[in-house]
Amino acid sequence: MATFFGEVVVAPSRAGLDEEEEAREETPEDREIRREIEKKRYRMEVDVLWTWQAGGCAKEPLACSRFIVAIGRNAAAFLSSFILDSVCWEVVGVVKLWNEWCRTSSTTNVLPTDSFCLFYRLISDPTVLLCQCSCYVAEDQQFQWLEKVFGSMQKKDLQVTILSTCPVADYKTQESTLTLVSPFLKALKTKEFQEQVCCPLLEQPNIVRDLPAA
């Protein structure tokens, strides 16, 4: 059923499938492989490793005034090109996780790649942190990710900015998406954010999904 006027809803259909596709079913071997992957995935917790905790010593929550999180390859590439392309930042941590699409290492002395979620600290102001998360975080790992990351830093007077992208085809508007000048920027904010927003707000019924929504 459509949730708003004009939405295109594709009904499930098996039309056009040939006999071979219809007969294709999950084999016992496929089920066993899937179960083993699920077991390993649930055993591997999401861990946040900070450079100052390398010796195993505990520390008070990190003082943080601004936390900027770039989620997805495009947002992470934006940080690399326009913000991190200087000597003003230092790597201070990494997230280790495992799922079907992402297998990360436990080391913190790594270079940014598509497989890692890295934290940077502004050298001139250590209370400013960046997170470059280009790895996939599964739906059932998102709460752990949030709990571990924000559990390491103070939350009082903390301003969080999240950068993410989505295809223009997913943008819902009365205009034709073919006439839209892309890329374009929209914003969502909480009621606690009192500063001026740098771009127009995202209109209904558009939503944010996955880790940015969490």
Side-chain angles (χ1 to χ4, degrees), residues 33 55 78 113 156 158 160 165 168 207:
I33 292 173
F78 175 82
T113 69
K156 184 178 180 181
L158 172 62
V160 180
T165 60
V168 176
I207 60 174

Side-chain angles (χ1 to χ4, degrees), residues 30-211:
D30 292 336
R31 286 193 293 269
E32 182 63 25
I33 292 173
R34 178 170 52 81
R35 281 195 294 265
E36 290 301 319
I37 290 177
E38 290 175 351
K39 288 178 183 178
K40 185 172 183 179
R41 174 170 163 177
Y42 295 139
R43 286 197 305 265
M44 301 288 290
E45 293 187 354
V46 177
D47 289 323
V48 180
L49 308 173
W50 300 99
T51 54
W52 62 75
Q53 294 175 335
C57 57
K59 187 174 180 178
E60 294 295 321
L62 177 66
C64 187
S65 61
R66 291 181 180 268
F67 184 38
I68 302 173
V69 188
I71 301 175
R73 294 184 179 182
N74 292 334
F78 175 82
L79 282 191
S80 296
S81 300
F82 297 99
I83 298 179
L84 293 173
D85 190 20
S86 68
V87 295
C88 301
W89 303 88
E90 60 178 347
V91 177
V92 294
V94 65
V95 172
K96 183 183 70 172
L97 56 86
W98 191 99
N99 55 52
E100 294 88 333
W101 296 274
C102 177
R103 289 93 185 267
T104 61
S105 168
S106 60
T107 179
T108 58
N109 189 23
V110 294
L111 295 174
T113 69
D114 288 343
S115 300
F116 289 95
C117 179
L118 290 168
F119 297 93
Y120 297 84
R121 180 167 56 187
L122 185 62
I123 296 176
S124 60
D125 184 359
T127 67
V128 178
L129 289 182
L130 294 181
C131 176
Q132 192 180 39
C133 183
S134 55
C135 62
Y136 173 77
V137 182
E139 183 177 347
D140 56 356
Q141 295 175 321
Q142 292 170 10
F143 177 77
Q144 270 198 69
W145 194 97
L146 295 169
E147 189 179 42
K148 297 291 181 66
V149 171
F150 286 97
S152 305
M153 60 184 66
Q154 69 174 20
K155 302 175 185 62
K156 184 178 180 181
D157 299 325
L158 172 62
Q159 178 178 310
V160 180
T161 303
I162 300 169
L163 305 175
S164 65
T165 60
C166 69
V168 176
D170 292 344
Y171 180 63
K172 297 177 176 62
T173 176
Q174 294 181 348
E175 305 176 39
S176 170
T177 55
L178 297 176
T179 62
L180 292 174
V181 179
S182 62
F184 56 88
L185 189 65
K186 299 285 183 176
L188 287 175
K189 69 181 186 69
T190 62
K191 61 182 179 181
E192 287 80 11
F193 185 81
Q194 301 298 327
E195 299 180 20
Q196 184 176 0
V197 181
C198 64
C199 61
L201 295 178
L202 185 67
E203 310 90 342
Q204 294 183 350
N206 293 286
I207 60 174
V208 177
R209 297 181 176 86
D210 302 322
L211 187 59

